[in-house]
Structure formats: structure tokens, C-alpha cells
Coordinates of all heavy atoms in Angstrom, one line a residue:
M569 N -109.6 -118.6 -173.5 CA -109.3 -117.4 -174.3 C -108.0 -117.5 -175.0 O -107.0 -118.0 -174.5 CB -109.2 -116.2 -173.2 CG -109.0 -114.9 -173.9 SD -109.1 -113.6 -172.6 CE -108.3 -112.3 -173.5
T570 N -108.0 -117.1 -176.3 CA -106.8 -117.2 -177.1 C -105.9 -116.0 -176.9 O -106.4 -114.8 -176.9 CB -107.3 -117.2 -178.6 OG1 -108.2 -118.3 -178.8 CG2 -106.1 -117.3 -179.5
A571 N -104.6 -116.2 -176.7 CA -103.6 -115.2 -176.6 C -103.5 -114.4 -177.9 O -103.7 -114.9 -179.0 CB -102.3 -115.8 -176.2
L572 N -103.2 -113.1 -177.8 CA -103.0 -112.3 -178.9 C -102.1 -112.9 -179.9 O -102.3 -112.8 -181.1 CB -102.6 -110.9 -178.5 CG -102.4 -109.9 -179.7 CD1 -103.6 -109.7 -180.5 CD2 -101.8 -108.6 -179.2
V573 N -101.0 -113.4 -179.5 CA -100.0 -114.0 -180.4 C -100.5 -115.2 -181.2 O -100.0 -115.5 -182.2 CB -98.7 -114.4 -179.6 CG1 -98.0 -113.2 -179.1 CG2 -98.9 -115.4 -178.6
D574 N -101.5 -115.9 -180.6 CA -102.1 -117.0 -181.3 C -103.3 -116.6 -182.2 O -103.7 -117.3 -183.1 CB -102.6 -118.0 -180.3 CG -101.5 -118.7 -179.6 OD1 -100.4 -118.8 -180.1 OD2 -101.7 -119.0 -178.4
D575 N -103.8 -115.4 -182.1 CA -104.9 -114.9 -182.8 C -104.4 -113.8 -183.8 O -104.3 -112.6 -183.4 CB -106.0 -114.3 -181.9 CG -107.2 -113.7 -182.6 OD1 -107.2 -113.8 -183.9 OD2 -108.1 -113.2 -182.0
R576 N -104.1 -114.2 -185.0 CA -103.5 -113.2 -185.9 C -104.4 -112.8 -187.0 O -104.0 -112.5 -188.1 CB -102.2 -113.8 -186.5 CG -101.1 -114.1 -185.4 CD -99.8 -114.6 -186.0 NE -99.9 -115.9 -186.5 CZ -99.6 -117.0 -185.8 NH1 -99.3 -116.9 -184.5 NH2 -99.6 -118.2 -186.3
R577 N -105.7 -112.7 -186.7 CA -106.7 -112.3 -187.8 C -106.4 -111.0 -188.3 O -106.7 -110.7 -189.5 CB -108.1 -112.4 -187.2 CG -108.6 -113.8 -186.9 CD -110.0 -113.7 -186.3 NE -109.8 -113.3 -184.9 CZ -110.7 -113.0 -184.1 NH1 -112.0 -113.0 -184.5 NH2 -110.5 -112.6 -182.8
H578 N -105.8 -110.1 -187.5 CA -105.7 -108.7 -187.9 C -104.2 -108.3 -188.2 O -103.8 -107.2 -188.3 CB -106.2 -107.7 -186.9 CG -107.7 -108.0 -186.6 ND1 -108.7 -107.8 -187.5 CD2 -108.3 -108.5 -185.5 CE1 -109.8 -108.2 -187.0 NE2 -109.6 -108.6 -185.8
L579 N -103.4 -109.3 -188.5 CA -102.0 -109.1 -188.7 C -101.7 -108.2 -189.9 O -100.9 -107.3 -189.7 CB -101.3 -110.5 -188.9 CG -99.8 -110.4 -189.3 CD1 -99.0 -109.9 -188.1 CD2 -99.3 -111.8 -189.7
L580 N -102.4 -108.4 -191.0 CA -102.2 -107.5 -192.1 C -102.7 -106.1 -191.9 O -102.2 -105.1 -192.5 CB -102.8 -108.1 -193.4 CG -102.2 -109.5 -193.8 CD1 -103.0 -110.0 -195.0 CD2 -100.7 -109.3 -194.1
T581 N -103.7 -106.0 -191.0 CA -104.2 -104.6 -190.7 C -103.4 -103.9 -189.7 O -103.1 -102.7 -189.9 CB -105.7 -104.8 -190.2 OG1 -106.4 -105.5 -191.2 CG2 -106.3 -103.5 -190.0
T582 N -103.0 -104.5 -188.7 CA -102.4 -103.8 -187.6 C -100.8 -103.9 -187.6 O -100.2 -103.1 -187.0 CB -102.8 -104.4 -186.2 OG1 -102.4 -105.8 -186.1 CG2 -104.3 -104.2 -186.0
G583 N -100.3 -104.8 -188.4 CA -98.9 -104.9 -188.6 C -98.2 -105.9 -187.6 O -98.8 -106.3 -186.6
L584 N -97.0 -106.3 -188.0 CA -96.3 -107.3 -187.2 C -95.9 -106.8 -185.8 O -95.8 -107.7 -184.9 CB -95.0 -107.6 -188.0 CG -94.3 -108.9 -187.7 CD1 -95.2 -110.1 -187.8 CD2 -93.1 -109.1 -188.6
A585 N -95.6 -105.6 -185.6 CA -95.1 -105.1 -184.3 C -96.1 -105.4 -183.2 O -95.7 -105.5 -182.0 CB -94.8 -103.6 -184.4
R586 N -97.3 -105.5 -183.5 CA -98.3 -105.8 -182.5 C -98.2 -107.2 -181.9 O -98.6 -107.5 -180.8 CB -99.7 -105.6 -183.0 CG -100.8 -105.8 -182.0 CD -102.2 -105.4 -182.6 NE -103.2 -105.7 -181.6 CZ -104.5 -105.8 -181.8 NH1 -104.9 -105.6 -183.0 NH2 -105.3 -106.1 -180.9
Y587 N -97.6 -108.1 -182.7 CA -97.5 -109.5 -182.4 C -96.1 -109.9 -181.9 O -96.0 -111.0 -181.3 CB -98.0 -110.3 -183.6 CG -99.4 -110.1 -184.0 CD1 -99.7 -109.1 -184.9 CD2 -100.4 -110.7 -183.4 CE1 -101.0 -108.8 -185.2 CE2 -101.7 -110.5 -183.7 CZ -102.0 -109.5 -184.6 OH -103.3 -109.3 -184.9
T588 N -95.1 -109.2 -182.3 CA -93.7 -109.7 -182.0 C -92.7 -108.6 -182.0 O -92.8 -107.7 -182.9 CB -93.3 -110.8 -183.0 OG1 -92.0 -111.2 -182.8 CG2 -93.4 -110.3 -184.5
E589 N -91.8 -108.6 -181.1 CA -90.7 -107.7 -181.1 C -89.6 -108.1 -182.0 O -88.8 -107.3 -182.5 CB -90.2 -107.5 -179.7 CG -91.2 -106.8 -178.8 CD -90.7 -106.6 -177.3 OE1 -89.5 -106.8 -177.1 OE2 -91.5 -106.3 -176.5
S590 N -89.4 -109.4 -182.2 CA -88.3 -110.0 -182.9 C -88.5 -110.1 -184.4 O -87.6 -110.4 -185.1 CB -87.9 -111.4 -182.3 OG -88.9 -112.3 -182.6
G591 N -89.8 -110.1 -184.8 CA -90.1 -110.3 -186.2 C -90.5 -111.8 -186.5 O -90.9 -112.1 -187.6
V592 N -90.3 -112.6 -185.5 CA -90.7 -114.0 -185.6 C -92.1 -114.2 -185.2 O -92.5 -113.8 -184.1 CB -89.8 -114.9 -184.8 CG1 -90.2 -116.4 -184.8 CG2 -88.3 -114.8 -185.2
V593 N -92.9 -114.8 -186.0 CA -94.3 -115.1 -185.7 C -94.5 -116.6 -185.8 O -94.0 -117.3 -186.7 CB -95.3 -114.5 -186.7 CG1 -96.7 -114.9 -186.4 CG2 -95.1 -112.9 -186.6
G594 N -95.1 -117.2 -184.8 CA -95.3 -118.7 -184.8 C -94.3 -119.3 -183.8 O -93.7 -118.7 -182.9
R595 N -94.0 -120.6 -184.1 CA -93.1 -121.4 -183.3 C -92.0 -121.9 -184.2 O -92.1 -123.1 -184.6 CB -93.9 -122.5 -182.6 CG -94.9 -121.9 -181.6 CD -95.8 -122.9 -181.0 NE -95.0 -123.9 -180.3 CZ -95.6 -125.1 -179.9 NH1 -96.8 -125.3 -180.1 NH2 -94.8 -126.0 -179.3
P596 N -90.9 -121.2 -184.4 CA -89.9 -121.6 -185.3 C -89.2 -122.9 -184.8 O -88.6 -123.6 -185.6 CB -88.9 -120.4 -185.3 CG -89.2 -119.6 -184.1 CD -90.7 -119.8 -183.8
S597 N -89.3 -123.2 -183.5 CA -88.7 -124.5 -183.0 C -89.4 -125.7 -183.6 O -88.8 -126.8 -183.6 CB -88.8 -124.5 -181.5 OG -90.2 -124.5 -181.1
L598 N -90.6 -125.5 -184.2 CA -91.3 -126.6 -184.9 C -90.9 -126.8 -186.3 O -91.3 -127.7 -187.0 CB -92.8 -126.5 -184.8 CG -93.3 -126.5 -183.3 CD1 -94.8 -126.2 -183.4 CD2 -93.0 -127.8 -182.6
A599 N -90.0 -125.9 -186.8 CA -89.6 -125.9 -188.3 C -88.6 -127.1 -188.5 O -88.0 -127.6 -187.6 CB -89.0 -124.6 -188.6
S600 N -88.6 -127.5 -189.8 CA -87.6 -128.5 -190.2 C -87.2 -128.2 -191.6 O -88.0 -127.5 -192.3 CB -88.2 -129.9 -190.0 OG -89.2 -130.2 -191.0
A601 N -86.1 -128.8 -192.1 CA -85.7 -128.7 -193.5 C -86.8 -129.3 -194.4 O -87.1 -128.7 -195.4 CB -84.4 -129.3 -193.7
R602 N -87.4 -130.4 -194.0 CA -88.4 -131.0 -194.8 C -89.6 -130.2 -195.0 O -90.1 -130.0 -196.1 CB -88.8 -132.4 -194.2 CG -89.8 -133.1 -195.1 CD -90.5 -134.3 -194.3 NE -91.2 -133.9 -193.2 CZ -92.5 -133.4 -193.2 NH1 -93.0 -133.1 -194.4 NH2 -93.1 -133.0 -192.2
K603 N -90.1 -129.6 -193.8 CA -91.2 -128.7 -193.9 C -90.9 -127.5 -194.8 O -91.8 -127.0 -195.5 CB -91.6 -128.2 -192.5 CG -92.2 -129.3 -191.6 CD -92.5 -128.8 -190.3 CE -93.1 -129.8 -189.3 NZ -93.3 -129.3 -188.0
G604 N -89.7 -127.0 -194.7 CA -89.3 -125.8 -195.5 C -89.4 -126.2 -197.0 O -89.8 -125.4 -197.8
R605 N -88.9 -127.3 -197.4 CA -88.9 -127.8 -198.8 C -90.3 -127.9 -199.3 O -90.7 -127.5 -200.4 CB -88.2 -129.1 -198.9 CG -86.7 -128.9 -198.9 CD -85.9 -130.2 -199.3 NE -86.2 -131.3 -198.4 CZ -85.5 -131.5 -197.3 NH1 -84.5 -130.8 -197.0 NH2 -85.7 -132.6 -196.5
V606 N -91.2 -128.5 -198.4 CA -92.6 -128.6 -198.8 C -93.3 -127.3 -199.0 O -94.0 -127.1 -200.0 CB -93.4 -129.5 -197.7 CG1 -94.9 -129.4 -198.0 CG2 -92.9 -130.9 -197.7
V607 N -93.1 -126.3 -198.1 CA -93.6 -125.0 -198.2 C -93.1 -124.3 -199.5 O -93.9 -123.7 -200.3 CB -93.4 -124.1 -197.0 CG1 -93.7 -122.7 -197.2 CG2 -94.1 -124.7 -195.8
L608 N -91.8 -124.3 -199.7 CA -91.2 -123.7 -200.9 C -91.8 -124.3 -202.2 O -92.1 -123.6 -203.1 CB -89.7 -123.8 -200.8 CG -89.0 -123.1 -201.9 CD1 -89.3 -121.6 -202.0 CD2 -87.5 -123.2 -201.8
A609 N -91.9 -125.6 -202.2 CA -92.4 -126.3 -203.4 C -93.9 -125.8 -203.7 O -94.3 -125.6 -204.8 CB -92.4 -127.8 -203.3
S610 N -94.6 -125.7 -202.6 CA -96.0 -125.2 -202.7 C -96.1 -123.8 -203.3 O -96.9 -123.5 -204.1 CB -96.7 -125.4 -201.4 OG -98.0 -124.8 -201.5
L611 N -95.2 -123.0 -202.7 CA -95.2 -121.6 -203.2 C -94.8 -121.5 -204.7 O -95.4 -120.7 -205.4 CB -94.2 -120.7 -202.3 CG -94.7 -120.5 -200.9 CD1 -93.6 -119.9 -200.1 CD2 -95.9 -119.6 -200.9
V612 N -93.8 -122.2 -205.1 CA -93.4 -122.2 -206.5 C -94.5 -122.7 -207.4 O -94.8 -122.1 -208.4 CB -92.1 -123.1 -206.6 CG1 -91.8 -123.3 -208.1 CG2 -90.9 -122.5 -205.9
S613 N -95.2 -123.7 -207.0 CA -96.3 -124.3 -207.7 C -97.4 -123.3 -207.9 O -98.0 -123.1 -209.0 CB -96.7 -125.6 -207.1 OG -97.9 -126.1 -207.8
S614 N -97.8 -122.7 -206.8 CA -99.0 -121.8 -206.8 C -98.7 -120.5 -207.4 O -99.6 -119.8 -207.8 CB -99.5 -121.7 -205.4 OG -98.6 -121.0 -204.5
F615 N -97.4 -120.1 -207.5 CA -97.1 -118.8 -208.1 C -97.0 -118.8 -209.6 O -97.1 -117.7 -210.2 CB -95.7 -118.3 -207.5 CG -95.4 -116.9 -207.9 CD1 -96.1 -115.8 -207.4 CD2 -94.4 -116.6 -208.8 CE1 -95.9 -114.5 -207.7 CE2 -94.1 -115.3 -209.2 CZ -94.8 -114.2 -208.6
G616 N -97.0 -119.9 -210.2 CA -96.9 -120.0 -211.6 C -98.0 -119.3 -212.4 O -97.7 -118.5 -213.3
G617 N -99.2 -119.4 -211.9 CA -100.3 -118.7 -212.6 C -100.2 -117.1 -212.4 O -100.4 -116.4 -213.4
C618 N -99.7 -116.7 -211.3 CA -99.5 -115.3 -211.1 C -98.4 -114.7 -212.0 O -98.6 -113.7 -212.6 CB -99.2 -115.0 -209.6 SG -100.5 -115.4 -208.4
L619 N -97.4 -115.5 -212.1 CA -96.2 -115.1 -212.9 C -96.7 -115.0 -214.4 O -96.3 -114.0 -215.1 CB -95.1 -116.0 -212.8 CG -93.8 -115.7 -213.5 CD1 -93.3 -114.3 -213.0 CD2 -92.7 -116.7 -213.2
S620 N -97.4 -116.0 -214.8 CA -97.9 -116.0 -216.2 C -98.8 -114.7 -216.5 O -98.7 -114.1 -217.6 CB -98.7 -117.2 -216.5 OG -97.9 -118.4 -216.5
A621 N -99.6 -114.4 -215.5 CA -100.5 -113.2 -215.7 C -99.7 -111.9 -215.8 O -100.2 -110.9 -216.4 CB -101.5 -113.1 -214.5
L622 N -98.5 -111.9 -215.2 CA -97.7 -110.7 -215.2 C -96.9 -110.5 -216.4 O -96.4 -109.4 -216.7 CB -96.8 -110.6 -213.9 CG -97.5 -110.5 -212.6 CD1 -96.5 -110.7 -211.5 CD2 -98.2 -109.2 -212.5
K623 N -96.8 -111.6 -217.2 CA -95.9 -111.5 -218.4 C -96.6 -110.7 -219.5 O -97.7 -110.5 -219.6 CB -95.6 -112.9 -219.0 CG -94.7 -113.6 -218.1 CD -94.4 -115.0 -218.7 CE -93.4 -115.7 -217.9 NZ -93.1 -117.0 -218.4

């Protein structure tokens, strides 16, 4: 059985408070600067089309 904190299918519907008191979701101890750079680069790359549409 999957714990509620691991099953976030309804996060956008029910809100963050159902999953965490601190506002942290996931396992931040697994984060690294390299992973952060990769995620940020991906977000910048994928947002370009949205930004163009808003101009």
C-alpha cells in the first residue's frame, strides 16, 4: 500500500496541506546543486514557447 505522502495524484485538487505541514514535498535530502541546475535549465527551455505565446 502506498503512503499518502507518496501518492500525490490529488495534490492540485486537495492542496499541499494534506501532504505536508512544512511545505516540503518529496525528499529534499536527495537534492543536489547539479540536479537543481538540470531542472532549472529544463524549465527555462520548456517555458520559451509559453512566453512567446504571451507576447
